[in-house]
Amino acid sequence: MNIGRMFKLIVVSGMALSWSLASLAQSAGAEHKELPPPGGPPKAFHLPQKEKFTLRNGLQVTMVPYGHLPKISIAVMVRAGALNEASGQVWISDLVGRMIKEGGTTSRSTEQVAQEAASMGGSIDVNAGEDQTEIALDVLSDFGERAVALLGDVVEHPLLPESDLARMKQDAERRLAIALSQSQPLAREQFMKALYPDHPYGRVFPTQEMIAKYTIADVQKFYKDNFGAARTHIYVAGKFDEPAMKKAITEAFSSWPNGPAPLIEVPKPISKREFSLIDRPKAAQSTVYVGLPTAYPGEEDYIPLSVTNTLLGGSFASRITSNIREQKGYTYSPRSLLSSRYHDAFWAEIADVTTAVTGPSLKEIFYEINRLQKQPPSEAELKGIQDYIAGVFILANSSRQGIISQLAFADLNNLGDDYLETYVKKVYAVTPEQVQQMAEKYLATDKMTIVVVGDKSKIADQLAPYEHGSGQ
């Protein structure tokens, strides 16, 4: 399972649950029924004792005993992804990941790999992201050592057969066509291009011509140039025999060549007012994407800024959501987020709004930002947001895959061994005054990139103040 998607699903589910409970409470109040007392704040998260070791070839390993079910999750994280793509080879990392998953190995056919994984109660999942490619397998605990051996073969000896290339490219072309037919992907592409004009992070989609030109030599070269022990960290979580698992990992991965060191190419994102309007004639809605670069994980302000984001637009109880969704009915599911990569992050508010209120929606978004910059939230409002963040964090760590995701995030961003255990405490340490300061320091409305996708004939006049820099 894609751990990143899993975490997002947990967050969305948690928000939906919070909204449902709030709705039930309102209904109960209307009927004069007695409500149950509110629950106490979530407790701090405590990670079980983990074991870390490094093989002679530089490959790192973290193992965490977790849970009571006889299951084990193993994830091989390789520091290779979109960051490593050349300007003319966008999505090549994704193509390589899909061929690793579906192309078999030099000693096992595609069917043999799938059947062996299934016989252990799982299936191999491969996901290429911006900074890392993850090859993961979740199986019954009795097969932990066998799963490691299978993953070792898949990661170290992928066949990458030319016979699969045409099918993979056709699939990529279909996915590209679908993405380019939708408003949010178009808005995100333009937004990322504006923030990262000269960096791989700014290259979201390839062209069809680019995909058509990919050869098996391109695929094999990307793998050879970017995969190796020195870029790899293996995570294990669940029920397992620690000595046996350590032996299995050592035997399966010790002979893998070091390969290159991780590529460090930290971007210098653009922070300035830039406006883009992408025309989609007859669109019933407009997609709004507003944001700018911010502090990234590991910087002192990141956790206070995360709290600020959740209060402003990152939860169903947030101010922007309450304004443009609940009070005005401009949109159904707006959201803000802090999106991070290695030593980089940006804040963005994203909303699909009714065409007729595209301009007013931007006005209210900026109004809520400016309001928070002028006056700190109340203690009660902040406490509710802190309880929500802490609860979602604990929930995100309630599975083997969730633990691995959090550990990988902490390691990628050099956050230290105590990050997970101190996170909740640091969230509750944020004060109303800090929230106001974060809004003032990082959410400068005159430096925000604005991207709107919609029917230009109906929204251009509404957006004129923002196009000319006066709207905020």
Side-chain angles (χ1 to χ4, degrees), residues 273 290 292 308 311-313 319-320 323 347 349 360-377 432 435-448 450 466 469-472:
R273 172 59 69 87
V290 182
L292 76 174
T308 302
L311 184 146
L312 184 61
R319 291 185 173 189
I320 294 176
N323 183 326
W347 177 86
E349 172 71 26
S361 296
L362 275 175
K363 179 181 178 181
E364 296 303 325
I365 290 170
F366 286 128
Y367 165 77
E368 292 297 349
I369 295 171
N370 291 328
R371 182 163 75 98
L372 189 58
Q373 291 171 339
K374 294 174 183 177
Q375 183 176 4
V435 170
Q436 180 187 11
Q437 291 164 7
M438 293 299 100
E440 288 181 307
K441 183 175 181 179
Y442 291 104
L443 304 183
T445 55
D446 61 340
K447 294 182 179 180
M448 288 190 178
I450 303 172
Y466 303 96
S470 59
Q472 57 179 300

Side-chain angles (χ1 to χ4, degrees), residues 444-467:
T445 55
D446 61 340
K447 294 182 179 180
M448 288 190 178
T449 292
I450 303 172
V451 179
V452 180
V453 180
D455 188 336
K456 185 176 180 179
S457 67
K458 296 181 179 178
I459 63 177
D461 290 343
Q462 300 178 44
L463 299 174
Y466 303 96
E467 182 177 4

Side-chain angles (χ1 to χ4, degrees), residues 162-406:
E162 187 170 13
S163 59
D164 284 356
L165 184 61
R167 174 175 60 85
M168 294 288 186
K169 288 165 63 173
Q170 288 174 358
D171 181 60
E173 289 173 352
R174 283 193 295 269
R175 287 185 286 113
L176 176 63
I178 291 171
L180 296 180
S181 71
Q182 299 173 344
S183 293
Q184 283 210 13
L186 287 174
R188 183 175 185 273
E189 179 188 32
Q190 183 59 39
F191 181 82
M192 297 297 285
K193 187 185 300 182
L195 262 61
Y196 308 99
D198 302 311
H199 193 274
Y201 293 154
R203 300 192 285 267
V204 176
F205 296 124
T207 63
Q208 286 191 335
E209 293 76 15
M210 199 180 293
I211 294 173
K213 290 180 180 178
Y214 290 153
T215 67
I216 198 62
D218 294 327
V219 171
Q220 293 169 345
K221 184 177 188 302
F222 186 89
Y223 174 84
K224 181 180 178 182
D225 291 348
N226 294 287
F227 281 68
R231 288 187 176 184
T232 300
H233 197 137
I234 296 176
Y235 296 89
V236 178
K239 296 286 286 183
F240 56 89
D241 182 289
E242 292 187 30
M245 185 56 58
K246 185 173 182 178
K247 179 182 177 183
I249 292 173
T250 302
E251 291 178 349
F253 287 91
S254 287
S255 61
W256 198 16
N258 299 61
L263 173 66
I264 305 299
E265 189 176 341
V266 178
K268 295 180 180 179
I270 303 299
S271 182
K272 69 174 183 179
R273 172 59 69 87
E274 182 170 326
F275 176 87
S276 298
L277 173 55
I278 300 173
D279 190 19
R280 290 201 75 191
K282 299 182 180 180
Q285 290 184 321
S286 300
T287 293
V288 175
Y289 229 105
V290 182
L292 76 174
T294 63
Y296 55 80
E299 292 191 294
E300 183 178 358
D301 287 340
Y302 183 76
I303 290 180
L305 183 60
S306 298
V307 175
T308 302
N309 165 66
T310 306
L311 184 146
L312 184 61
S315 70
F316 272 17
S318 67
R319 291 185 173 189
I320 294 176
T321 301
S322 296
N323 183 326
I324 64 175
R325 183 187 191 276
E326 302 306 318
Q327 297 171 20
K328 299 192 170 60
Y330 291 168
T331 177
Y332 181 74
S333 56
R335 71 188 190 280
S336 71
L337 53 83
L338 274 177
S339 176
S340 68
R341 288 142 297 282
Y342 178 76
H343 283 200
D344 171 76
F346 65 78
W347 177 86
E349 172 71 26
I350 306 161
D352 292 321
V353 303
T354 304
T355 296
V357 293
T358 304
S361 296
L362 275 175
K363 179 181 178 181
E364 296 303 325
I365 290 170
F366 286 128
Y367 165 77
E368 292 297 349
I369 295 171
N370 291 328
R371 182 163 75 98
L372 189 58
Q373 291 171 339
K374 294 174 183 177
Q375 183 176 4
S378 68
E379 292 278 357
E381 182 184 14
L382 177 57
K383 179 63 163 50
I385 291 297
Q386 290 166 324
D387 287 347
Y388 169 78
I389 294 173
V392 168
F393 182 77
I394 300 300
L395 183 61
N397 287 293
S398 64
S399 69
R400 298 176 301 280
Q401 295 91 342
I403 288 290
I404 288 175
S405 178
Q406 295 285 4

